[in-house]
Amino acid sequence: MRSNFILKISFLLIVFILINCDGTLGAFQPLQFPISKNRLEIAIDSLYSMHPKYKIPDKWKEENDWSKRGFDFLNSRIFYFKENPEEMYYTSIRVSNDSLTQIDIAIRSVFIGSKRKWLKQEDFTNEEENRIQTRFKTEIISKLEKYTNSKSRDLGN
């Protein structure tokens, strides 16, 4: 009888998780830096300090609910872009292949201001995906390369 109760509770828990889960996050094309994670994190802090325009504006702070969604295990940063199209990029940083000197960074989701919604890579056309990736490389990655005195490379999907 007790095992039947545990089985029912387990089933209900699985159903609850499936109903409330947004699914897994994919990733746009990852970029790899030949540096330590700490060095990249310092560079990101410098970027925010020197270019505060990339920080989440107060009007969108409530959209940073990734911990509530269960993604607090990711080492993530959000970059805001005011210029048209107004959007934010949720990115993650991870050590590549257990190497302490290879760090990957990738866009995981894009918040579209006009839609007031986070979207995954699969929600975009190839043209939109290229625009997003180019903006990320031009505005964020190029600055991180300068601050770290290193060159990133595309890893491809």
Side-chain angles (χ1 to χ4, degrees), residues 33-45 73-77 92-96 99-105 144 148:
F33 279 86
I35 59 174
S36 70
K37 184 176 96 169
N38 186 51
R39 199 161 145 208
L40 184 60
E41 289 173 338
I42 290 169
I44 291 170
D45 291 342
F73 64 92
L74 289 175
N75 183 355
S76 62
R77 302 293 188 282
S92 68
I93 301 164
R94 70 177 183 89
V95 175
S96 178
S99 169
L100 297 177
T101 59
Q102 299 284 324
I103 304 302
D104 299 345
I105 184 169
L144 295 177
T148 61

Side-chain angles (χ1 to χ4, degrees), residues 138-150:
T138 303
E139 294 201 38
I140 303 299
I141 297 300
S142 65
K143 290 173 180 61
L144 295 177
E145 288 175 338
K146 204 181 304 183
Y147 299 153
T148 61
N149 195 28
S150 67

